[in-house]
Amino acid sequence: SSEDIRCKCICPPYRNISGHIYNKNVSQKDCNCLHVVEPMPVPGNDVEAYCLLCECKYEERSTTTIKVPELSPLP
């Protein structure tokens, strides 16, 4: 398919965990930290605090638009 749909979560460093970017193909309604961040890098009692720091964005793009056609060389 030419559509590229994904959810991107950018999570900053938290306690002793370095920052990380998570990408996952999920529906727009599931585009949140709990559905995208796997494996969850923090123990259960820290999940809510960690997820509040993460910024998740739903992205939809056409990969056919991104692919640049090869240009023939000029004579």
Side-chain angles (χ1 to χ4, degrees):
S1 127
S2 64
E3 291 303 309
D4 184 8
I5 299 168
R6 70 177 179 179
C7 181
K8 180 179 185 180
C9 290
I10 302 170
C11 301
Y14 178 76
R15 296 194 179 174
N16 60 344
I17 298 156
S18 59
H20 197 80
I21 295 173
Y22 299 88
N23 288 303
K24 194 170 180 188
N25 287 337
V26 293
S27 66
Q28 191 166 8
K29 70 176 180 63
D30 288 337
C31 183
N32 59 52
C33 174
L34 292 174
H35 285 99
V36 176
V37 177
E38 286 179 357
M40 185 61 68
V42 295
N45 56 337
D46 279 338
V47 168
E48 190 177 352
Y50 181 75
C51 280
L52 285 172
L53 297 171
C54 297
E55 185 184 323
C56 297
K57 273 197 288 199
Y58 183 73
E59 297 177 343
E60 201 172 323
R61 61 188 186 180
S62 171
T63 50
T64 50
T65 306
I66 296 164
K67 290 178 188 156
V68 179
E70 202 173 300
L71 298 173
S72 53
L74 294 171

